[in-house]
Amino acid sequence: MTVRTRFAPSPTGYLHVGGARTALFNWLYARQHGGTFILRIEDTDEKRNTEEARQVIYDGLNWLGLDWDEGPDKGGPFGPYQQSERSDIYAKHLAVLEAGGHLYEDNGAIRFRSPRKTVVVEDLICGRIEFDMSNPATHPDMTIRRPDGSWIFHFVNVVDDIEMKLTHVIRGEDHLSNTPKHIELYNALGVTPPKFAHIPLILNTEGKKLSKRDGGSSITFFMDGGYTPEAVANYLCLLGWSPGDNRERLTMAEILSLFDLAKVNRRNAIFDLDKCFWLNGQHILAMSLARFAELAKPFVDKAGIAYGTDEALIQALAIVKAKVKHLSDVPDWIAFLFSDEFSFDPEAVEKSLKKPGALGRLKALEASLLTVSDWTHVTVEAALKETALALGVKTGELVHPARVAVSGRSVGPGLYEIFEVLGKDRTLARFERARSLAAE
């Protein structure tokens, strides 16, 4: 049996992290088993659907690296892949139910007559659950078509899963209560249901279901906020699943090899933005410089930093990579390297440049650096330490004013690496500017 899974979002707003996690789990299961991952757009609610929301879904999935094999933009053998284009297919299955005596009309709506039997759900995560469907007060007959002719979610969802030959339905636990209704429809249509796996809900820190009001509930938040796709996908996997060996930072290749639905627990997952932030820093630290540059460049371009060549940009990124926690912070980390008109932090000037004797020591360092011919972070470090030794001061007495002189700040990337990126002429010119400023 070829595994076929799907992600079926509605284009009515934004891509919720819960939906993204559902897509991720379906994608992982399909890829693990050499199967097919389908993207289906459930757009029967015409009043709420927007093209912008549809694009947000595509962009979010692509950003996370979740490629689909069949979908609205790719086609496939069981299309169309948008429910708004499948009305004839639904009418065909409606006729089957009608011929079987499973339907009746109620004030213009079409309802499905429940068999009023106990329905057993064998869930791959939740286990065996029995649903007593005998009481119409608690389980009323479901509407499958409204008086205006529009279709209800339960019916079209089942029909699409049948037509697209789904083998596994992996979705949020909030759909578990819908599953017995869906199984009744499968049985009435004479089709064996797919295997179900309901994953735990994602709650906020207050124990409530994560909503639009909670920070980080949208994938767009992470895309715009400087998170890496690697970190977000990693974190989403850990919401309800664990590899079982206390590891937290995982590459997608590692997740693919370790992921197992049997290890998805039933406890609701608590969304912790701080942990995702920590993972983001860990992934940035571990990734290659080339990947870091690829992810950081759009933020640098948006900030309007005139870095000249890609080579110059990569050289600057190399010295800040270990410090960066958010890609959106990169422009602030490197802007001073590409503009000599940076501003000075008044507190840093007061503490370092206006300290008694600081300007004299800075002038001595400038004279020493002037003699360095082979300008590298190694040679300039040696020159600074030799100057400190000659002056009889600790290296910090030179490092701190020098850092403020070349960057305007008291913190930043390694000083000697800054010297190397700036080059000799620009470094010494900044020394002169800083001494003039501090002397005023």
Side-chain angles (χ1 to χ4, degrees), residues 71-365:
D73 58 331
K74 294 188 176 182
F78 305 108
Y81 292 88
Q82 297 184 134
Q83 287 184 339
S84 59
E85 301 173 2
R86 296 175 62 82
S87 190
D88 290 345
I89 297 172
Y90 305 142
K92 180 184 72 173
H93 286 269
L94 187 75
V96 172
L97 292 178
E98 188 174 22
H102 300 290
L103 306 179
Y104 64 93
E105 186 177 340
D106 180 16
N107 292 321
I110 304 298
R111 289 183 177 272
F112 175 79
R113 184 178 287 106
S114 172
R116 299 291 164 211
K117 297 178 180 178
T118 295
V119 175
V120 177
V121 177
E122 298 283 0
D123 194 273
L124 295 175
I125 294 171
C126 301
R128 179 187 174 89
I129 305 174
E130 294 186 1
F131 292 87
D132 182 0
M133 308 290 283
S134 62
N135 188 349
T138 55
H139 295 90
D141 290 339
M142 63 177 151
T143 300
I144 63 175
R145 194 170 194 178
R146 300 182 184 91
D148 64 4
S150 60
W151 304 99
I152 296 295
F153 159 77
H154 300 292
F155 176 62
V156 296
N157 185 270
V158 167
V159 169
D160 287 343
D161 285 350
I162 290 172
E163 288 282 330
M164 295 179 186
K165 302 190 182 304
L166 269 293
T167 62
H168 295 75
V169 171
I170 304 168
R171 58 190 180 188
E173 196 173 325
D174 51 337
H175 285 290
L176 182 58
S177 60
N178 295 328
T179 305
K181 303 175 187 178
H182 296 176
I183 290 178
E184 286 185 334
L185 286 172
Y186 279 106
N187 292 339
L189 290 167
V191 177
T192 301
K195 294 180 179 179
F196 293 98
H198 289 88
I199 57 183
L201 299 179
I202 300 176
L203 307 180
N204 62 20
T205 52
E206 297 177 352
K208 299 177 181 178
K209 189 174 179 181
L210 196 68
S211 71
K212 293 181 179 180
R213 294 182 297 276
D214 294 304
S217 62
S218 164
I219 290 299
T220 305
F221 168 88
F222 296 98
M223 295 170 67
D224 294 344
Y227 286 81
T228 68
E230 292 90 337
V232 176
N234 184 172
Y235 182 64
L236 290 178
C237 281
L238 297 178
L239 293 174
W241 170 81
S242 169
D245 56 2
N246 293 321
R247 295 175 62 196
E248 292 188 304
R249 188 184 67 80
L250 299 163
T251 66
M252 187 58 78
E254 289 172 323
I255 292 168
L256 267 170
S257 67
L258 296 170
F259 183 76
D260 184 356
L261 281 177
K263 290 185 178 180
V264 175
N265 63 58
R266 289 212 59 188
R267 292 193 305 275
N268 290 329
I270 303 298
F271 186 80
D272 183 353
L273 196 55
D274 289 339
K275 185 171 182 179
C276 190
F277 172 77
W278 174 81
L279 270 176
N280 198 57
Q282 294 298 303
H283 275 276
I284 289 175
L285 195 61
M287 69 178 47
S288 69
L289 179 58
R291 175 60 174 163
F292 178 59
E294 178 188 0
L295 294 174
K297 192 170 183 293
F299 292 92
V300 177
D301 290 339
K302 185 178 180 180
I305 296 176
Y307 52 81
T309 66
D310 286 347
E311 182 181 0
L313 175 60
I314 289 175
Q315 189 182 22
L317 292 175
I319 70 171
V320 303
K321 180 173 175 288
K323 303 278 188 178
V324 171
K325 300 296 184 290
H326 273 150
L327 296 167
S328 54
D329 295 335
V330 168
D332 192 49
W333 276 102
I334 68 170
F336 77 92
L337 294 169
F338 298 104
S339 172
D340 294 327
E341 301 305 314
F342 57 87
S343 59
F344 284 82
D345 175 15
E347 186 177 341
V349 170
E350 194 68 33
K351 186 176 180 180
S352 295
L353 291 181
K354 292 194 175 183
K355 185 177 181 180
L359 293 185
R361 291 190 290 274
L362 193 61
K363 186 172 183 178
L365 176 59

Side-chain angles (χ1 to χ4, degrees), residues 5-10 14-29 37-39 56-68 170-172 174-175 199-202 209-210 216-223 228-229 231-239 252 255 259 271 276:
T5 68
R6 51 80 167 167
F7 176 51
S10 298
Y14 66 119
L15 182 56
H16 190 276
V17 293
R21 183 195 57 170
T22 296
L24 177 57
F25 280 21
N26 276 278
W27 181 87
L28 285 168
Y29 195 78
F37 175 58
I38 302 161
L39 175 61
V56 165
I57 292 169
Y58 294 153
D59 292 345
L61 294 180
N62 281 320
W63 183 76
L64 286 168
L66 307 183
D67 57 319
W68 51 96
I170 304 168
R171 58 190 180 188
D174 51 337
H175 285 290
I199 57 183
L201 299 179
I202 300 176
K209 189 174 179 181
L210 196 68
S217 62
S218 164
I219 290 299
T220 305
F221 168 88
F222 296 98
M223 295 170 67
T228 68
V232 176
N234 184 172
Y235 182 64
L236 290 178
C237 281
L238 297 178
L239 293 174
M252 187 58 78
I255 292 168
F259 183 76
F271 186 80
C276 190

